[in-house]
Amino acid sequence: MKTRNIITILAALPLIAGMTGCKSDEELTAKPANEILIVEGGNIEMRSGDETKDVSITANCAWEMEYDPTEWNSLTVQPQRGKGNGNLVITTDQNTTVYDRVGTITLESDGGLKQKIELRQVSGDPTINISAKTMRYSANPTSAQLLSIKSNVEGWKIQMPSGVDWLHLDKTSGNVGTEVVNITVDPSQNDVARSAAFTILYGLSSADVLVAQEGMNSDDITLSVSTDEIDMDPSGGDYVLHVQSNAIWRAFVPSSAQSWLTIEPAVGAGNGEIHVHCQPNNDTERDRLSVIVIIAGTQNPQQVDVLVQQGKGRVQYPTLSDMEMLRSQAMPTEAMLFFEFSSASDVGAYGFCWSSSNQVPTINDEVQEMGNGGTNGIVEGHVGGLTPQTTYYARGYVNFGGQVFYTPNVLTFTTPAETVEPSDSDNPDPNLSRGL
């Protein structure tokens, strides 16, 4: 309920008239000497918290009053008419804005005396009362705390700190009067105390409220994982490591292993998963070995080490397709041969080998080198110097790491006899055209 504050200020301002005449628009006009109208002060000022004000009038004549509130809708002035001495009762509400409120009161006697008086209510000083400047919570609070905010300002707001997700308010704005804000915090998942401050903005001013929470007891922190050893295939792969904890944990791998072993995420809270990724091991001579370290707590940290081991890489030998003949049959002294190969790493020399006596030819027989190096290729070309009407055995070959790899099959072919162009003596009737 608003408190009514009645303030009376008396300051005599006699208005002495000279002679009777018509009413004038000027503020001070000579009137008959027997007509008196006295109003307190010239201008009237009210404080921001004033809701009523009485102003005395001394008069020996009848008078009328009118006023212009000028964007001051709550203003009322009574009475509108009077005779002789009296009071003007000014009523309004408290000014909680940051601007002055101004109106005009005009008094006029029956004889034409007229005076304009400025009425001003000064701007409200923004004020706010907060029930607590610091709010403290245990590591595992069971209920909310209440913050009471009493303000004379419309539209105050609470500005939350960025990046703080453990602090919760059920409202972040309010109006004139008393508002209650419920403030809760999440249970702590670390043995280190934490704090954050939010700001209440009102008018051009602000006030901070600090929220502080204790850390959990170091002895209460728990940490375990689903396995303490991970065996990775030489080809690499992924593994999901399950973490059980009631606190914030962090995981990392030594810098020496970060080129082939990675984890995601590296930070978690409570129960969670760590996705472990291992690159292929191309080293055919050495195994890989590292460790994933997981730590929870800081005062008396709990630590779990997970061993990660990966066997040495397997040699990936080149693969060769079947040996083929590019044409449907061999020629008398040459043959067109074809095969393909692919390899995980560069090969050495490759080509064809063949023999007419060795049914499983090797590079110790006849050889035609077709290239050197690369990881895949199409090998095609001809072998020459063959003997007509002879059976041959041929294979493709690829050198790799000091070893020779051959096509899965042995191609067998027989060269035809050489063809002889017929002469005139071969034609029993020379008069007949060749081919008719």
Side-chain angles (χ1 to χ4, degrees):
M1 179 176 180
K2 295 182 178 179
T3 304
R4 302 180 64 86
N5 182 13
I6 302 176
I7 301 176
T8 303
I9 303 174
L10 300 177
L13 178 64
L15 302 177
I16 303 176
M19 55 183 298
T20 304
C22 298
K23 291 183 179 180
S24 171
D25 291 333
E26 298 190 16
E27 294 184 8
L28 195 59
T29 306
K31 296 298 175 184
N34 60 352
E35 191 170 76
I36 300 173
L37 180 59
I38 301 174
V39 181
E40 287 187 16
N43 298 326
I44 302 172
E45 183 172 296
M46 301 175 66
R47 296 179 304 185
S48 61
D50 292 344
E51 295 180 343
T52 62
K53 187 177 183 70
D54 283 6
V55 179
S56 298
I57 298 176
T58 302
N60 62 356
C61 58
W63 46 267
E64 292 184 357
M65 182 279 303
E66 61 181 18
Y67 64 93
D68 175 15
T70 312
E71 299 183 1
W72 190 349
N73 297 328
S74 62
L75 176 66
T76 59
V77 184
Q78 294 293 339
Q80 293 184 349
R81 296 180 181 83
K83 186 174 183 180
N85 298 336
N87 287 327
L88 290 179
V89 180
I90 302 169
T91 305
T92 185
D93 57 7
Q94 294 183 8
N95 186 5
T96 58
T97 70
V98 295
Y99 304 100
D100 291 355
R101 298 197 289 198
V102 179
T104 301
I105 298 175
T106 302
L107 289 173
E108 187 172 357
S109 70
D110 286 348
L113 295 179
K114 193 173 185 180
Q115 183 179 15
K116 289 184 178 180
I117 303 170
E118 180 185 86
L119 172 62
R120 178 181 298 271
Q121 186 183 32
V122 297
S123 61
D125 296 328
T127 60
I128 196 166
N129 293 318
I130 306 170
S131 58
K133 294 297 182 68
T134 301
M135 309 188 76
R136 301 188 181 279
Y137 292 80
S138 64
N140 189 22
T142 58
S143 62
Q145 292 191 37
L146 305 181
L147 180 69
S148 176
I149 302 176
K150 184 178 181 181
S151 173
N152 65 349
V153 180
E154 292 281 351
W156 56 261
K157 295 181 179 180
I158 294 179
Q159 185 178 71
M160 296 292 292
S162 61
V164 177
D165 57 359
W166 53 271
L167 173 60
H168 311 284
L169 280 64
D170 70 338
K171 67 175 63 175
T172 56
S173 61
N175 294 307
V176 174
T178 301
E179 301 271 5
V180 177
V181 181
N182 288 272
I183 302 177
T184 58
V185 297
D186 295 334
S188 176
Q189 291 184 301
N190 204 338
D191 54 359
V192 176
R194 60 186 177 184
S195 63
F198 59 83
T199 303
I200 304 173
L201 304 174
Y202 59 100
L204 300 177
S205 302
S206 64
D208 292 333
V209 176
L210 178 67
V211 179
Q213 184 179 23
E214 298 175 352
M216 61 190 303
N217 192 318
S218 298
D219 295 335
D220 294 334
I221 292 179
T222 60
L223 176 66
S224 63
V225 294
S226 53
T227 183
D228 58 2
E229 185 173 321
I230 300 174
D231 291 318
M232 284 292 187
D233 190 85
S235 61
D238 298 290
Y239 187 89
V240 177
L241 182 66
H242 298 276
V243 180
Q244 297 83 41
S245 180
N246 63 351
I248 295 174
W249 48 263
R250 293 170 175 81
F252 63 91
V253 297
S255 58
S256 59
Q258 290 176 3
S259 61
W260 61 273
L261 182 62
T262 57
I263 57 175
E264 177 67 30
V267 178
N271 298 337
E273 295 178 346
I274 298 177
H275 294 265
V276 182
H277 178 71
C278 185
Q279 298 286 346
N281 185 5
N282 296 321
D283 190 336
T284 59
E285 298 181 357
R286 288 181 293 272
D287 295 339
R288 283 173 171 171
L289 192 67
S290 187
V291 67
I292 300 173
V293 180
I294 307 169
I295 297 176
T298 58
Q299 306 293 333
N300 183 24
Q302 303 292 313
Q303 178 174 327
V304 174
D305 296 337
V306 179
L307 181 67
V308 180
Q309 52 188 1
Q310 183 183 32
K312 56 179 173 288
R314 304 184 187 97
V315 177
Q316 296 183 351
Y317 297 114
T319 58
L320 286 72
S321 69
D322 283 343
M323 185 77 163
E324 298 180 24
M325 185 172 289
L326 281 176
R327 297 182 180 177
S328 60
Q329 61 184 7
M331 293 171 283
T333 60
E334 64 180 28
M336 298 294 293
L337 305 179
F338 167 88
F339 76 95
E340 293 182 69
F341 74 88
S342 63
S343 175
S345 55
D346 285 342
V347 301
Y350 54 85
F352 307 111
C353 61
W354 69 94
S355 174
S356 61
S357 59
N358 184 3
Q359 295 186 7
V360 184
T362 69
I363 59 173
N364 294 320
D365 296 304
E366 298 291 333
V367 173
Q368 177 68 55
E369 184 176 314
M370 302 300 296
N372 194 309
T375 57
N376 58 76
I378 297 175
V379 186
E380 63 180 29
H382 72 278
V383 296
L386 305 181
T387 302
Q389 292 184 306
T390 303
T391 298
Y392 288 94
Y393 309 95
R395 288 197 294 177
Y397 74 91
V398 172
N399 277 292
F400 178 79
Q403 300 184 59
V404 179
F405 297 85
Y406 296 94
T407 55
N409 68 321
V410 176
L411 178 65
T412 303
F413 63 93
T414 302
T415 56
E418 287 190 286
T419 57
V420 178
E421 192 70 26
S423 63
D424 289 343
S425 61
D426 296 325
N427 192 339
D429 186 354
N431 295 321
L432 294 176
S433 300
R434 191 178 292 117
L436 294 178

